[in-house]
């Protein structure tokens, strides 16, 4: 273990975003970062907008935002693609009557669709709750009952798939 503590991984990117970590860390100021977010001027925050949409509405719209790989799929998604997919999911939730303050639980494996659903849920102002396959039936039931969830319905995902 001690051997790993001092191990340095060589830079492999030809043109990395962060050239000199230590120099950047010394110069970093939260005030500079905060001014780039919409909530700095509006006083309101929507994390889906801050994480995806503001980039999708800029010159970065075609930049890869998500790399996904599993046994069956190797995919990439741009900021614009994630914005469009999460908007689609948000529209499905609205059609089901889900809105601001409602609680929506997502019972899905980690996949691009999970992120689309999470971001779409946030965009409509609902509260997203994760549920994982490792949870036992009683744990899932307790979480849904305790939270007064608006939906954990699979019909949202079916409608999302049908809207393609």
């Amino acid at each position: 273990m001690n051997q790993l503590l001092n191990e340095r991984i060589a830079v492999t990117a030809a043109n990395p975003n962060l050239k000199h970590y230590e120099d950047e860390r010394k110069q970093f100021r939260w005030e500079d970062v905060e001014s780039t977010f919409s909530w700095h001027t509006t006083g309101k925050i929507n994390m889906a907008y801050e994480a995806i949409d503001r980039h999708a509405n800029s010159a970065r719209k075609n930049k890869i935002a998500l790399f996904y790989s599993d046994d069956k799929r190797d995919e990439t998604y741009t900021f614009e693609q994630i914005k469009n997919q999460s908007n689609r999911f948000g529209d499905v939730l609205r059609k089901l009557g889900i809105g601001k303050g409602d609680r929506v639980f997502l019972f899905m494996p980690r996949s691009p669709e999970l992120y689309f659903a999470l971001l779409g849920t946030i965009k409509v102002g609902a509260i997203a709750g994760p549920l994982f396959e490792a949870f036992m039936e009683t744990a899932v039931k307790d979480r849904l009952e305790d939270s007064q969830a608006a939906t954990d319905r699979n019909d949202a995902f079916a409608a999302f798939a049908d809207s393609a």
Side-chain angles (χ1 to χ4, degrees):
M1 179 72 172
N2 287 339
Q3 294 171 334
L4 297 177
L5 292 176
N6 295 321
E7 183 180 352
R8 295 251 178 192
I9 298 172
V11 175
T12 58
N15 189 17
N17 291 334
L18 189 60
K19 307 254 189 269
H20 302 286
Y21 173 80
E22 290 300 327
D23 293 342
E24 292 296 326
R25 187 179 66 80
K26 288 175 187 171
Q27 297 173 23
F28 181 83
R29 291 175 7 111
W30 274 113
E31 297 81 16
D32 298 337
V33 176
E34 288 175 350
S35 66
T36 66
F37 292 103
S38 65
W39 56 265
H40 184 72
T41 55
T42 65
K44 297 180 181 181
I45 189 165
N46 184 306
M47 290 309 298
Y49 176 82
E50 299 295 353
I52 299 298
D53 291 11
R54 72 186 185 109
H55 302 292
N57 297 336
S58 76
R60 291 186 289 274
K61 69 181 179 180
N62 293 317
K63 184 175 172 99
I64 303 298
L66 176 65
F67 289 90
Y68 180 77
S69 181
D70 68 13
D71 294 341
K72 299 175 186 152
R73 299 166 26 184
D74 288 311
E75 300 170 351
T76 59
Y77 295 89
T78 65
F79 284 107
E80 186 171 49
Q81 289 171 320
I82 295 174
K83 175 187 173 184
N84 292 339
Q85 293 293 342
S86 58
N87 285 350
R88 278 183 49 222
F89 191 81
D91 290 343
V92 167
L93 291 177
R94 282 187 194 96
K95 288 177 185 171
L96 293 171
I98 305 300
K100 187 173 184 174
D102 288 330
R103 293 156 186 91
V104 176
F105 279 81
L106 305 170
F107 188 70
M108 301 173 68
R110 287 192 179 115
S111 66
E113 293 77 17
L114 171 64
Y115 300 109
F116 304 154
L118 175 70
L119 292 163
T121 301
I122 293 169
K123 284 181 177 184
V124 300
I127 300 164
L131 293 174
F132 299 103
E133 296 162 337
F135 288 167
M136 294 294 158
E137 181 180 345
T138 54
V140 170
K141 182 180 175 196
D142 289 345
R143 280 171 176 76
L144 295 175
E145 288 175 356
D146 290 347
S147 71
Q148 301 171 345
T151 189
D152 64 342
R153 301 177 339 190
N154 288 327
D155 54 348
F157 300 105
F160 176 69
D162 290 343
S163 72

